[in-house]
Amino acid sequence: MRAITGLWRWRGNALRRTTDLAEAWAALVALVLIAVAAPVTGCLVGTAAQDSLQRSVREQHHTRRLVLATVVRDLGDAPLDTDPETTAARESRSRVLADWTAPDGTLRHGPALADLKSPHTGDHFGLWTDPHGRITTRPLDSPTATTHAVLAGIGAALLATALVECARRFAVWRMVRSRYARWDQAWDRAGPDWGKAGTGS
């Protein structure tokens, strides 16, 4: 609104300088870009991120399998931040030695994280593996992927807004510097005659 009122105010003002009008136009262009380009950028980035992440979701669900593992013995407390992408990361997990059968039919044995508070020998728990039976993380779910895509779109829109505003401020700074330089030149030309009698005669 300041840009529009600035253009209207300087429209027929006798004291208007060229830079005053240029500053008002720069503000108006920046406002239009922020109102139009930033949301469009956010939508494009969000859509691209959504497509990519949903492809990743489908691929992970296709290549990762949930198998049934059996506790051999407890290995103590689990390390922190095991799987921050899911709500299961907030659940109590234990580090155990376990046996499981890979999707390809081979028997596997090794340390794993079990979502059991007090694991005992013979307890069963779910374990995510790749097609060869190697332990992997839980596959990304669709709602989480959508959340990441929305955040990417919002981030892109905010970044576009910041870039437009920085460009506007830089342009105004250059105009002000140019204005001050012209003032200095005008004072230098008037300086030798300043205060002398008969100046301008």
Side-chain angles (χ1 to χ4, degrees):
M1 289 305 297
R2 283 172 50 188
I4 296 172
T5 56
L7 281 172
W8 185 260
R9 185 181 64 216
W10 291 119
R11 183 172 53 92
N13 196 317
L15 299 176
R16 181 191 70 197
R17 297 167 295 197
T18 305
T19 54
D20 294 326
L21 197 58
E23 285 180 31
W25 274 109
L28 182 61
V29 169
L31 178 66
V32 170
L33 286 175
I34 288 172
V36 176
V40 169
T41 301
C43 287
L44 292 175
V45 170
T47 301
Q50 173 76 340
D51 291 343
S52 176
L53 287 170
Q54 292 301 333
R55 274 196 307 273
S56 180
V57 166
R58 289 190 294 273
E59 179 184 339
Q60 288 182 14
H61 279 275
H62 180 70
T63 58
R64 299 180 187 185
R65 295 287 182 268
L66 183 63
V67 300
L68 191 65
T70 304
V71 175
V72 176
R73 66 183 169 88
D74 188 6
L75 294 178
D77 292 335
L80 298 176
D81 298 328
T82 56
D83 189 4
E85 293 297 324
T86 64
T87 56
R90 294 189 290 270
E91 297 173 0
S92 176
R93 298 177 77 114
S94 303
R95 192 165 175 264
V96 299
L97 192 63
D99 292 327
W100 67 93
T101 302
D104 61 6
T106 58
L107 295 176
R108 293 287 178 146
H109 178 81
L113 292 174
D115 53 353
L116 302 169
K117 291 185 179 179
S118 301
H120 300 289
T121 302
D123 287 348
H124 299 290
F125 64 96
L127 187 66
W128 288 98
T129 67
D130 65 10
H132 303 291
R134 291 186 294 263
I135 296 174
T136 186
T137 57
R138 179 191 300 265
L140 184 67
D141 56 21
S142 186
T144 303
T146 300
T147 301
H148 286 311
V150 169
L151 291 175
I154 292 172
L158 291 176
L159 180 61
T161 300
L163 288 175
V164 169
E165 178 59 15
C166 287
R168 184 196 70 81
R169 287 176 181 265
F170 179 73
V172 170
W173 176 77
R174 290 295 301 270
M175 284 185 267
V176 170
R177 288 284 302 269
S178 176
R179 182 189 305 158
Y180 287 159
R182 287 196 299 275
W183 284 355
D184 288 341
Q185 292 169 2
W187 277 110
D188 287 342
R189 286 194 299 272
D193 294 332
W194 186 258
K196 291 183 180 179
T199 298
S201 58

